[in-house]
Amino acid sequence: MIFVTVGTHEQPFNRLIQKIDELVRDGEIEDDVFMQIGYSTYEPKYTKWEKIIGYDEMSDYLMKSDVVITHGGPSTYMQVLQNGKIPIVVPRQLKFNEHVNDHQLWVSKQVMDKGYPLILCENIENLLSDIKKSKKVVNILENSHNKEFIDKLYTEIYSIIKK
């Protein structure tokens, strides 16, 4: 299963939602897909979706999904990492009118520069290959000191945001 979440920011994130829907339509993605589309104006035709879901439902999707694709909100991808999965992070970008600036891209790059395992997708045309890459990644819970890792990540992300 693939879970896609774009958060609750008031600007649409049609670029991501439409691309996933097209990949399902074209048979490139055969997994079950559920998308939380927020304020996106594009409504998927080939996947299940909701505009907003509750915390418990989101936590359930984050746990049971094999692949998680998320906007660049650190709280979301930290939760994915806590579940032992490597998130595909598609930051909202100013040039597509998806956010007021490019802070999601900047913070995600800073987190990666610190050595944390995110799959950063800046070009939506690379999304299918990023999904395939994500499926090959071994569950990080089996091979890491997860608690220590997440505590350190949490501290570093908030030090980046405070800059």
Side-chain angles (χ1 to χ4, degrees), residues 1-26:
M1 169 170 221
I2 296 175
F3 176 56
V4 180
T5 179
V6 301
T8 57
H9 182 70
E10 64 270 8
Q11 289 174 269
F13 201 175
N14 293 331
R15 180 172 58 108
L16 174 59
I17 301 303
Q18 186 170 349
K19 183 64 179 180
I20 294 289
D21 202 40
E22 290 171 354
L23 290 171
V24 173
R25 177 199 65 201
D26 297 344

Side-chain angles (χ1 to χ4, degrees), residues 24-38:
V24 173
R25 177 199 65 201
D26 297 344
E28 297 288 341
I29 295 176
E30 296 179 349
D31 307 72
D32 289 334
V33 175
F34 182 85
M35 297 198 278
Q36 178 270 312
I37 69 167

Side-chain angles (χ1 to χ4, degrees), residues 63-75:
M63 283 297 293
K64 70 183 178 186
S65 298
D66 304 307
V67 175
V68 177
I69 302 169
T70 177
H71 66 116
S75 294

Side-chain angles (χ1 to χ4, degrees), residues 117-134:
L118 307 178
I119 298 173
L120 184 61
C121 180
E122 290 183 60
N123 181 346
I124 205 72
E125 296 307 316
N126 297 332
L127 187 57
L128 184 59
S129 66
D130 288 338
I131 291 169
K132 290 176 181 174
K133 188 185 319 177
S134 174

Side-chain angles (χ1 to χ4, degrees), residues 13-141:
F13 201 175
N14 293 331
R15 180 172 58 108
L16 174 59
I17 301 303
Q18 186 170 349
K19 183 64 179 180
I20 294 289
D21 202 40
E22 290 171 354
L23 290 171
V24 173
R25 177 199 65 201
D26 297 344
E28 297 288 341
I29 295 176
E30 296 179 349
D31 307 72
D32 289 334
V33 175
F34 182 85
M35 297 198 278
Q36 178 270 312
I37 69 167
Y39 291 94
S40 300
T41 54
Y42 178 87
E43 294 187 352
K45 298 165 188 68
Y46 304 97
T47 69
K48 295 177 183 171
W49 60 276
E50 293 286 339
K51 288 213 172 266
I52 304 293
I53 58 176
Y55 179 82
D56 291 340
E57 190 174 7
M58 182 164 167
S59 293
D60 185 49
Y61 278 117
L62 292 174
M63 283 297 293
K64 70 183 178 186
S65 298
D66 304 307
V67 175
V68 177
I69 302 169
T70 177
H71 66 116
S75 294
T76 304
Y77 57 74
M78 282 176 51
Q79 191 170 355
V80 177
L81 291 168
Q82 284 177 322
N83 291 337
K85 300 172 184 174
I86 308 294
I88 298 172
V89 178
V90 184
R92 292 173 177 265
Q93 296 183 41
L94 176 62
K95 68 183 175 185
F96 299 113
N97 198 30
E98 297 163 345
H99 217 299
V100 297
N101 59 32
D102 286 326
H103 75 276
Q104 289 194 350
L105 180 61
W106 185 81
V107 171
S108 297
K109 286 181 176 179
Q110 295 293 310
V111 169
M112 289 184 69
D113 287 348
K114 299 278 184 183
Y116 294 98
L118 307 178
I119 298 173
L120 184 61
C121 180
E122 290 183 60
N123 181 346
I124 205 72
E125 296 307 316
N126 297 332
L127 187 57
L128 184 59
S129 66
D130 288 338
I131 291 169
K132 290 176 181 174
K133 188 185 319 177
S134 174
K135 290 181 174 181
K136 292 179 182 173
V137 176
V138 177
N139 185 328
I140 61 172
L141 276 178

